[in-house]
C-alpha cells in the first residue's frame, strides 16, 4: 500500500477537501499540521512555496485541487463518465473561483471587512443562484451519486458561513445537499474526530 502524508496548517482550509475524500475512501494517511510560526523554516522545502502538499511514496504533489482530484478518481468521486467528470470539475472550479476572491491576506481589517461585505452582498447571490440551477431537483450536483463537487460545496458552505452567517438561508436545496454529504457515514465520523478550528 502506498504511503501518504498530507501537510497543511492546523486548519481546514485548502486541505479539507482531500481529507473528506480520504475519509470517504477509508485511505489511511498522515495528517501533518504545522503551526504558522514554523512555516518560514519549512517553506523553502515545499514545491512553489505553498501548502497543502501531499507526499505519495516520497513524491510531493502540490496544489490543493490537483491533490483532491488525484484521490477523488481512485475513490470513484469524479462521475461515472467523462462527461460527468467534466461537469464535476466545472462545479469545483466555480466554487474555487469564488473562494479565491476572499481577501484572506489583507492586513487592513477595515478594508478586509469591506471587501468581504462586497463579496457576499454582490457575488454570493449570483454563485448561489448558479449552484441551485446546477443542482436542480437532483440529490447530487452531477448524476445520481455523490462526487467530490458535493464535498467541496459542504466545505465551502462551512467556511462561507463563518464569514457571513446565514449566507445561504434562502437556498434550502443547497443546505439540504450539505446535510446529505454530512450524513454519509464516513463523513459523519470524520466530522466527529477532526480538530476543531475556525477555518
Amino acid at each position: 500500500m502506498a504511503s501518504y502524508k498530507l501537510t497543511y496548517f492546523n486548519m481546514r482550509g485548502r486541505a479539507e477537501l482531500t481529507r473528506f475524500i480520504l475519509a470517504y475512501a477509508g485511505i489511511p494517511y498522515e495528517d501533518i499540521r504545522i503551526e504558522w510560526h514554523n512555516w518560514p523554516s519549512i517553506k523553502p522545502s515545499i514545491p512553489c512555496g505553498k501548502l497543502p502538499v501531499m507526499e505519495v511514496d516520497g513524491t510531493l504533489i502540490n496544489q490543493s485541487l490537483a491533490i483532491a482530484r488525484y484521490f477523488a478518481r481512485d475513490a470513484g468521486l469524479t462521475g461515472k463518465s467523462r462527461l460527468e467528470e467534466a461537469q464535476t470539475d466545472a462545479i469545483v472550479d466555480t466554487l474555487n473561483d469564488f473562494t479565491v476572491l476572499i481577501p484572506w491576506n489583507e492586513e487592513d481589517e477595515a478594508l478586509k471587512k469591506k471587501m468581504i461585505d462586497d463579496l457576499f452582498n454582490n457575488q454570493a447571490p449570483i454563485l448561489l443562484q448558479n449552484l441551485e440551477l446546477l443542482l436542480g431537483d437532483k440529490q447530487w450536483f452531477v448524476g445520481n451519486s455523490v462526487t467530490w463537487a458535493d464535498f467541496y460545496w459542504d466545505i465551502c458552505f462551512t467556511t462561507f458561513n463563518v464569514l457571513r452567517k446565514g449566507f445561504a438561508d434562502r437556498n434550502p436545496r443547497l443546505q439540504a445537499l450539505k446535510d446529505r454529504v454530512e450524513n454519509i457515514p464516513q463523513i459523519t465520523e470524520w466530522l466527529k474526530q477532526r480538530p476543531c478550528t475556525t477555518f
Side-chain angles (χ1 to χ4, degrees):
M1 181 178 288
S3 170
Y4 302 116
K5 296 179 181 179
L6 178 64
T7 301
Y8 193 57
F9 302 106
N10 186 24
M11 59 191 301
R12 297 187 307 274
R14 287 283 182 178
E16 194 65 9
L17 179 55
T18 294
R19 294 183 186 122
F20 263 49
I21 295 166
L22 293 168
Y24 176 83
I27 297 173
Y29 68 103
E30 191 174 345
D31 189 12
I32 301 169
R33 295 172 180 250
I34 66 169
E35 299 301 331
W36 288 102
H37 65 271
N38 293 324
W39 174 231
S41 63
I42 296 170
K43 186 174 181 179
S45 66
I46 301 298
C48 301
K50 293 184 177 180
L51 294 177
V53 293
M54 173 65 79
E55 183 180 328
V56 181
D57 287 340
T59 298
L60 291 178
I61 304 171
N62 65 311
Q63 288 292 342
S64 60
L65 295 185
I67 297 166
R69 189 179 289 109
Y70 176 88
F71 289 101
R73 285 187 177 131
D74 288 344
L77 290 167
T78 57
K80 295 181 178 178
S81 67
R82 289 188 63 217
L83 179 58
E84 286 193 3
E85 183 174 342
Q87 291 174 300
T88 302
D89 283 347
I91 292 168
V92 169
D93 289 343
T94 296
L95 286 165
N96 199 57
D97 284 348
F98 184 88
T99 301
V100 298
L101 296 176
I102 299 171
W104 298 108
N105 296 323
E106 177 55 57
E107 295 180 0
D108 183 324
E109 288 301 320
L111 177 59
K112 185 174 184 176
K113 182 181 183 305
K114 183 179 184 301
M115 293 171 72
I116 290 174
D117 286 345
D118 178 67
L119 188 61
F120 280 91
N121 289 338
N122 299 312
Q123 299 298 320
I126 298 170
L127 171 69
L128 292 168
Q129 181 181 24
N130 289 333
L131 291 174
E132 287 238 321
L133 288 172
L134 290 166
L135 179 60
D137 294 325
K138 305 188 303 297
Q139 294 290 300
W140 310 105
F141 272 129
V142 177
N144 58 11
S145 60
V146 67
T147 67
W148 68 303
D150 303 302
F151 287 180
Y152 199 29
W153 164 243
D154 181 284
I155 292 157
C156 289
F157 181 105
T158 301
T159 297
F160 299 164
N161 209 48
V162 173
L163 295 170
R164 179 59 58 87
K165 188 74 174 172
F167 84 103
D169 280 353
R170 297 182 180 180
N171 305 91
R173 286 186 295 175
L174 292 175
Q175 293 190 59
L177 173 58
K178 177 184 184 296
D179 293 340
R180 275 192 292 279
V181 168
E182 294 185 1
N183 282 324
I184 295 170
Q186 302 96 309
I187 302 302
T188 302
E189 185 58 32
W190 168 245
L191 294 178
K192 287 179 182 176
Q193 68 178 358
R194 73 179 178 187
C196 182
T197 60
T198 303
F199 290 107

